[in-house]
Amino acid sequence: MNLQSNDFELFDLPVGFALDRSLLDERWKALQREVHPDRHAAADAQTQRQAMQWSVRINEAYQRLKDPLKRAAYLCELHGAPVQAENNTAMPTAFLMQQMEWREALEDASDEAAVETLADEVAEARLRMVTELAQTADQRQDWPSLAGQVRALMFVERFAADVSQRLEQLGQ
């Protein structure tokens, strides 16, 4: 194993958006069993430090690969098209209008049923967007477009969190 390997190499998986989640989980567990710091508790300080580095590296890679949004952003980075969400917030007008409509609907929602309807709509949009990520990454391999799709999905994820928070408030 090499700390400099990309996440896919680390888990011995093909580089791509689509992945077998059960295989990822299985390989994560196997790698953790191999390098877990507790397994090296009796070793010298350097070996313990290396085990800790490996454990952290494996966990970070696992978190990145198991999450579709993080995996797509990582693929963009690997292919020279970083997402740059902090610097690039340009979105298509139709997308921005949808975001504004959703925000207004959330503000106007007076009961739990209205917020749940909005949550369902956002969940459907998210599923469509994840499907589009897969097509853009694995079929078209259009990394700049994928970066834009990742930025858009980040907006949707933040809004979904706001909807969930509102549902929690109404449920109290």
Side-chain angles (χ1 to χ4, degrees):
M1 288 192 293
N2 179 352
L3 279 174
Q4 304 308 315
S5 297
N6 73 45
D7 295 354
F8 295 97
E9 293 167 344
L10 185 63
F11 284 89
D12 194 26
L13 296 169
V15 176
F17 185 81
L19 59 76
D20 180 338
R21 178 61 191 269
S22 61
L23 183 59
L24 174 66
D25 292 346
E26 178 184 309
R27 293 202 173 143
W28 173 72
K29 288 174 187 171
L31 287 169
Q32 279 298 354
R33 277 192 301 272
E34 186 178 327
V35 302
H36 196 277
D38 289 349
R39 188 166 189 244
H40 302 279
D44 61 82
Q46 180 180 354
T47 302
Q48 289 178 8
R49 192 170 39 258
Q50 287 174 334
M52 181 61 74
Q53 287 175 327
W54 269 110
S55 183
V56 168
R57 171 70 177 93
I58 290 165
N59 283 330
E60 287 174 346
Y62 177 69
Q63 294 303 317
R64 215 173 358 255
L65 292 180
K66 78 175 187 171
D67 180 274
L69 181 60
K70 291 177 184 177
R71 185 169 59 248
Y74 184 64
L75 283 167
C76 290
E77 288 177 31
L78 286 178
H79 291 94
V83 172
Q84 298 177 330
E86 307 81 30
N87 304 341
N88 186 349
T89 57
M91 291 287 146
T93 304
F95 177 80
L96 294 174
M97 293 300 292
Q98 176 66 69
Q99 294 293 302
M100 287 174 42
E101 288 173 17
W102 280 348
R103 291 273 170 206
E104 289 173 7
L106 183 60
E107 284 180 26
D108 294 344
S110 58
D111 61 11
E112 199 169 331
V115 179
E116 285 177 354
T117 299
L118 184 58
D120 291 343
E121 184 180 334
V122 172
E124 288 175 21
R126 183 187 181 282
L127 286 174
R128 280 192 309 275
M129 294 174 84
V130 170
T131 299
E132 291 172 14
L133 291 177
Q135 292 171 346
T136 302
D138 292 343
Q139 294 171 8
R140 293 193 303 275
Q141 297 185 348
D142 182 350
W143 311 115
S145 291
L146 184 64
Q149 290 173 331
V150 167
R151 286 190 299 272
L153 185 53
M154 292 169 94
F155 273 90
V156 172
E157 293 281 344
R158 280 191 294 272
F159 182 70
D162 293 345
V163 171
S164 293
Q165 183 178 5
R166 179 72 184 277
L167 276 172
E168 288 176 19
Q169 291 169 347
L170 289 171
Q172 292 179 356

